[in-house]
Amino acid sequence: MAQLFFRYGAMNSGKTIEILKVAHNYEEQNKPVVIMTSALDNRDEIGYVSSRVGLRRQAEIIDEQTDLFEYVNNLSFTPACVLIDEAQFLKREHVLQAAKIVDTLHIPVMAFGLKNDFRNELFEGSKELLLQADKIEEMKTICWFCHRKALMNMRIVDGKPVYTGEQIQIGGNESYYPVCRRHYNNPPSQF
């Protein structure tokens, strides 16, 4: 039975490498997959999912005009699974289209992304996935400063944490640290 999955985690929790692993497992059994990612993610190259460990794959781009259901429905093959990276950047309509893929085409959709931003607020795509997903799973990582579980993403500017600004700023370890609640609220005086 196909389901809509949302796997979320703080920065550095292995979301992208998990997508690449899932894709490999399906394809090793000759089951084709579709990998998609947000057009906003330009850390490596637009249209690629790239893990910090160096693995990368080309992916279909999701922008504001993309209709996920129509895209998958019009493919010349039936994918065994649809994998979506950077799902926090999805619009509500995208999530509803992903649910329609599951409910109408009976194809599982696995969406991976951040739950909350650096202000500790939900992203639009994450909020809708939390409401619509059949299964929700947290992917864990540890705090940048201690051994506790990281729950939040701390934005760093000029070596200091910031808590205000635009919700979306694309970046990696130079811009964000995964942190526990204690260090989010009380960052170390020296990084």
Side-chain angles (χ1 to χ4, degrees):
M1 178 178 186
Q3 294 185 319
L4 175 58
F5 297 85
F6 180 38
R7 293 186 178 168
Y8 71 88
M11 299 287 290
N12 292 344
S13 61
K15 297 177 297 294
T16 301
I17 197 146
E18 183 68 16
I19 284 178
L20 297 172
K21 181 180 94 174
V22 170
H24 172 77
N25 289 342
Y26 272 101
E27 292 169 341
E28 192 171 47
Q29 299 175 26
N30 295 313
K31 297 174 183 170
V33 299
V34 171
I35 301 176
M36 305 182 89
T37 190
S38 173
L40 296 176
D41 186 9
N42 61 3
R43 283 175 294 168
D44 180 13
E45 185 176 348
I46 294 175
Y48 281 85
V49 294
S50 300
S51 170
R52 286 179 175 79
V53 300
L55 299 175
R56 72 192 293 253
R57 286 248 332 237
Q58 193 164 8
E60 299 301 320
I61 297 170
I62 301 170
D63 61 25
E64 289 200 18
Q65 289 74 41
T66 303
D67 184 319
L68 301 179
F69 178 81
E70 288 302 318
Y71 176 81
V72 172
N73 193 40
N74 291 319
L75 288 170
S76 61
F77 65 96
T78 301
C81 185
V82 175
L83 302 165
I84 301 173
D85 197 17
E86 304 297 343
Q88 70 271 9
F89 298 141
L90 295 176
K91 299 295 181 191
R92 180 176 188 273
E93 296 77 27
H94 292 131
V95 175
L96 296 176
Q97 293 158 9
K100 188 176 177 184
I101 292 168
V102 171
D103 297 339
T104 305
L105 303 177
H106 311 290
I107 298 170
V109 176
M110 296 181 176
F112 296 76
L114 301 172
K115 180 180 68 172
N116 43 305
D117 66 15
F118 77 103
R119 300 173 299 191
N120 207 27
E121 296 176 8
L122 293 174
F123 286 94
E124 179 180 352
S126 304
K127 176 183 174 184
E128 197 61 31
L129 282 161
L130 288 168
L131 294 170
Q132 299 289 334
D134 298 298
K135 290 197 175 174
I136 300 167
E137 179 183 329
E138 180 183 23
M139 298 182 68
K140 298 172 182 74
T141 191
I142 57 171
C143 177
W144 195 265
F145 302 108
C146 70
H147 294 93
R148 297 172 77 183
K149 181 174 81 168
L151 302 171
M152 300 166 187
N153 304 295
M154 179 182 285
R155 184 180 284 174
I156 306 300
V157 176
D158 296 326
K160 300 200 182 301
V162 295
Y163 300 92
T164 59
E166 292 295 319
Q167 183 180 49
I168 297 173
Q169 173 187 310
I170 305 301
N173 291 342
E174 77 289 346
S175 301
Y176 294 97
Y177 293 160
V179 295
C180 65
R181 181 178 48 248
R182 180 171 60 113
H183 283 114
Y184 179 85
N185 293 317
N186 299 295
S189 58
Q190 299 208 351
F191 280 47

